[in-house]
Amino acid sequence: MTDLDRRFAVAPMMDWTDRWCRTFHRALTREALLYSEMVTTGAVIHGDRERLLGFSADEQPVALQLGGSDPADLARAARIGADYGYAEINLNVGCPSDRVQSGRFGACLMQEPALVGDCVAAMKAAVSIPVTVKCRIGVDEQDPEPALDAMADSVVAAGTDALWVHARKAWLKGLSPRENRDVPPLDYGRVYRLKARLPGVFIGINGGINDLDAAEAHLKHVDGVMLGRAAYQSPALLAGVDRRICGLAVDDPDPFAVVEALIPVIAAHRAAGGRVRHYVRHMLGLFQGRPGARAWRRILTEGATDPEAGADLLVRALAAVRRDDRAEAA
């Protein structure tokens, strides 16, 4: 699959964008490119691959994000990911956590653009699907102008199919990963300048984009937008992606209909030995800002703690939202 539509993507997020989250998000948008959580090369090569990499074809298009810095290991992990059916392999050059730094990958690779280029070249040689990179504008005391240019030039020369840029520096020491998502200032202009310098290269932007209005504004300057926390915490916004961002003549999915369509999916998951919590923890923000949102969150949160809970939990929560909707309209 080489003709991926990357105009809108949901960012890879640790502990969030698992297979159940992606199934839920896919029910809201058919066109958005979805990403796995980051998986290290060591885990892919030596770990429980089905648990780490398994996904449903209904989630496609899905990209696998890898963490690593050894070209041979990345090539091997990329081949495994391609064999699993992923539509794209993405290299993480943006995560600032201590664990990632100790493994010499993630954001610290901003300091080694030549190595990142070698990694991309090795993965490109190993697979026929697209290979992309997600990076920061710099780290620590780096000047984002030469730092981002050096990274971009290296991976473009290596054949990357797209470069996603989180428009913040990462501070490798002194800030937690959570703080690194908020404290360093955003610099969208730096990403716009990169796109202007590389008009023939796909450049996507990430960081602090909270709604589709902002996404549309960014698309006047870059090729794609990637939303993380906003898409996860207010997932109803994904219902407008296919129409507003991708230009399809479709009606936005109705959140009530989305839940109703997922009930049999979740029931089947429960019958196969899974837990309802796997799905519903990702669905808490679906009705945010609407009557019944509080009841929806409360019923799902409390009910999902029961390991024997079934899909009827969503039926009860949906009924509460409808009841509050009617009361508000009365």
Side-chain angles (χ1 to χ4, degrees):
M1 186 184 299
T2 58
D3 56 348
L4 289 177
D5 186 343
R6 295 188 181 87
R7 281 174 289 182
F8 188 97
V10 178
M13 292 175 280
M14 291 299 293
D15 299 322
W16 285 2
T17 51
D18 58 27
R19 67 184 75 181
W20 303 293
C21 175
R22 296 192 304 265
T23 296
F24 168 49
H25 285 175
R26 184 57 72 213
L28 291 159
T29 168
R30 292 306 314 165
E31 298 298 315
L33 177 60
L34 304 182
Y35 276 79
S36 73
E37 303 170 85
M38 183 190 71
V39 188
T40 66
T41 54
V44 171
I45 293 169
H46 304 293
D48 182 343
R49 291 178 187 172
E50 183 56 34
R51 180 180 64 82
L52 294 167
L53 302 180
F55 69 98
S56 166
D58 292 339
E59 300 167 36
Q60 289 281 27
V62 182
L64 170 64
Q65 188 182 65
L66 294 175
S69 59
D70 180 86
D73 285 349
L74 281 163
R76 185 177 175 187
R79 281 194 296 270
I80 293 168
D83 289 345
Y84 259 82
Y86 283 92
E88 171 189 300
I89 306 296
N90 177 267
L91 178 61
N92 183 316
V93 188
C95 181
S97 77
D98 291 341
R99 181 175 68 85
V100 165
Q101 291 179 55
S102 67
R104 196 189 173 201
F105 60 95
C108 63
L109 288 176
M110 288 297 300
Q111 300 166 325
E112 300 185 77
L115 174 58
V116 177
D118 290 343
C119 292
V120 170
M123 290 189 287
K124 287 289 292 182
V127 300
S128 60
I129 61 175
V131 173
T132 66
V133 174
K134 185 171 185 286
C135 71
R136 295 279 186 142
I137 61 173
V139 295
D140 296 340
E141 300 301 333
Q142 282 185 324
D143 181 342
E145 295 297 328
L148 183 56
D149 279 348
M151 178 58 64
D153 290 346
S154 182
V155 300
V156 168
T160 190
D161 293 279
L163 178 62
W164 290 99
V165 184
H166 185 156
R168 301 181 196 269
K169 271 189 175 184
W171 287 95
L172 302 179
K173 299 194 182 300
L175 292 181
S176 69
R178 183 184 185 90
E179 291 169 326
N180 262 294
R181 295 194 294 264
D182 295 300
V183 174
L186 286 159
D187 188 353
Y188 295 134
R190 179 63 190 96
V191 187
Y192 297 169
R193 291 193 295 277
L194 178 68
K195 176 58 192 176
R197 190 174 73 83
L198 300 173
V201 178
F202 180 100
I203 303 295
I205 197 165
N206 170 234
I209 305 170
N210 293 323
D211 53 43
L212 297 189
D213 289 342
E216 289 176 325
H218 283 299
L219 285 171
K220 296 175 182 177
H221 304 278
V222 294
D223 302 301
V225 290
M226 178 181 279
L227 272 67
R229 285 172 291 165
Y232 187 87
Q233 294 167 349
S234 302
L237 71 82
L238 296 175
V241 167
D242 296 356
R243 176 179 55 84
R244 292 184 58 180
I245 305 299
C246 299
L248 299 186
V250 295
D251 293 329
D252 297 351
D254 174 66
F256 291 97
V258 166
V259 176
E260 289 169 345
L262 285 173
I263 286 172
V265 175
I266 296 171
H269 174 68
R270 180 72 188 90
R275 292 186 59 174
V276 169
R277 178 183 178 277
H278 291 152
Y279 281 97
V280 301
R281 74 184 187 95
H282 303 301
M283 302 170 68
L284 299 179
L286 180 59
F287 293 99
Q288 183 172 306
R290 296 182 56 159
R294 181 175 297 178
W296 168 261
R297 290 192 303 269
R298 176 182 56 78
I299 292 169
L300 293 187
T301 301
E302 294 175 356
T305 61
D306 178 2
E308 301 303 318
D312 61 303
L313 177 64
L314 283 99
V315 176
R316 289 194 287 113
L318 207 56
V321 179
R322 285 198 168 104
R323 182 180 62 245
D324 287 359
D325 250 1
R326 289 193 296 267
E328 180 77 9

